[in-house]
Amino acid sequence: MIIGSNLLFFENLPSTNTLTADLLKKSRLPEGTIVYTNYQSAGRGYSGNRWDSEESKNLLISVVLFPSFVNPVDQFYISMTVSLGICDFLMRFLTDCSVKWPNDIYVNNDKIAGILIESSVSGDQIEYSVAGIGLNINQEKFSDTIPNPVSLSRLTGRSYDLRACLMQLGTDLDNRYKQLIAGNRLQIKEEYVSKLYRLNEWFEFRDIKGRYTGRILTVADYGRLQIERENGNINEYAFKEIEFIL
Ligand code: BTN
């Protein structure tokens, strides 16, 4: 077991990702260490967004990885691996979940989890990655400012033991990470693509030129999203270059 072999709990802190990165700058934590908390006062999401979570209701974790065997240009594999681990966990309780590219975990049209992977890269080597995960488990009410949140308990009408969820999620992430270590990249990519939200169906998107109808074909090199337009043209997008119209 790598992920979950070492657990570091803090009752509250500003952000598990920030603390984990600070700890790593001072000393080398064992690979697979999970830093987790009941409450973040400054939880961070993508693009400088906040990640707000009611105290003691959800999983707020950061996983320490040393994926030195992954070239920085291929680092989207880490993201795919973590996304699949979360999906494996959720599929124990649900009949379906998907990944809204690049790494939001969705159930139907609602977001149940977010991932923030922050890596330190030196030359052609990833020194460490901190895989931050916010996974909504028992929270029933969300602020109106969050667009489309959902939790496991809202979906199933049950409440869950957070500690048991943490251990299970650790195991599911560990199995996927071992798949990455074993070099099963094709399988990881194929499974990730098969779980993509709105794969192969015509929906509205917005890019720098405006709104259009397109369908997601696959994920290309560097984790870029490949979308076909109605006229047959195919475009590839990096994160932030394309918006889903929900
Ligand atoms: C997103 O969807 O924008 C990513 C959200 C990531 C939130 C998690 S919660 C644990 C970890 N610590 C943070 O400050 N952020 C991540």
Side-chain angles (χ1 to χ4, degrees):
M1 182 198 213
I2 302 169
I3 296 178
S5 54
N6 184 35
L7 302 175
L8 287 181
F9 173 71
F10 296 84
E11 183 55 43
N12 59 70
L13 41 62
S15 152
T16 57
N17 267 36
T18 306
L19 180 87
T20 306
D22 287 348
L23 291 174
L24 281 167
K25 278 169 207 149
K26 290 182 208 135
S27 64
R28 195 177 162 96
L29 294 168
E31 180 165 40
T33 296
I34 298 180
V35 175
Y36 68 109
T37 189
N38 278 334
Y39 183 72
Q40 296 185 131
S41 53
R44 295 188 290 109
Y46 255 105
S47 313
N49 292 332
R50 288 180 58 87
W51 184 264
D52 289 321
S53 172
E54 199 181 324
E55 187 171 352
S56 303
K57 294 282 183 182
N58 304 316
L59 288 181
L60 299 167
I61 76 170
S62 293
V63 184
V64 174
L65 301 173
F66 298 118
S68 52
F69 55 92
V70 176
N71 193 294
V73 295
D74 294 327
Q75 59 184 288
F76 196 65
Y77 277 95
I78 302 166
S79 189
M80 293 195 277
T81 302
V82 172
S83 297
L84 287 176
I86 299 171
C87 287
D88 293 342
F89 169 81
L90 289 171
M91 290 303 283
R92 297 177 180 280
F93 310 98
L94 304 171
T95 53
D96 200 21
C97 79
S98 60
V99 187
K100 178 171 169 279
W101 180 91
N103 45 23
D104 284 348
I105 309 299
Y106 265 46
V107 179
N108 304 317
N109 289 305
D110 296 324
K111 178 167 170 173
I112 192 165
I115 303 167
L116 179 64
I117 299 181
E118 297 177 302
S119 298
S120 168
V121 174
S122 172
D124 61 358
Q125 184 97 355
I126 300 177
E127 290 185 324
Y128 65 77
S129 295
V130 174
I133 299 170
L135 172 54
N136 298 332
I137 303 284
N138 288 323
Q139 186 163 340
E140 295 288 339
K141 293 200 181 94
F142 292 89
S143 143
D144 294 341
T145 56
I146 307 176
N148 51 347
V150 78
S151 64
L152 205 46
S153 69
R154 283 251 307 236
L155 290 163
T156 64
R158 297 173 40 200
S159 74
Y160 296 85
D161 180 318
L162 270 189
R163 174 82 187 183
C165 288
L166 172 71
M167 299 317 289
Q168 186 61 62
L169 177 64
T171 302
D172 292 330
L173 290 168
D174 191 52
N175 287 332
R176 288 294 180 175
Y177 191 55
K178 284 177 182 152
Q179 202 178 7
L180 182 66
I181 291 173
N184 296 337
R185 293 197 181 182
L186 195 60
Q187 196 183 342
I188 289 172
K189 185 179 159 184
E190 279 179 4
E191 281 193 63
Y192 176 88
V193 170
S194 76
K195 291 209 83 76
L196 280 178
Y197 176 70
R198 296 191 166 173
L199 177 70
N200 266 327
E201 288 180 51
W202 296 98
F203 281 101
E204 296 283 293
F205 295 90
R206 187 183 291 115
D207 70 6
I208 196 165
K209 292 188 191 140
R211 207 168 150 142
Y212 70 94
T213 303
R215 63 171 175 173
I216 295 171
L217 297 180
T218 190
V219 168
D221 289 349
Y222 315 113
R224 290 156 70 93
L225 189 66
Q226 201 178 76
I227 301 182
E228 180 186 8
R229 287 174 183 256
E230 284 175 303
N231 65 8
N233 284 355
I234 294 173
N235 292 95
E236 287 182 7
Y237 298 97
F239 183 53
K240 301 285 275 175
E241 290 177 353
I242 184 76
E243 182 191 342
F244 290 65
I245 308 293
L246 295 179

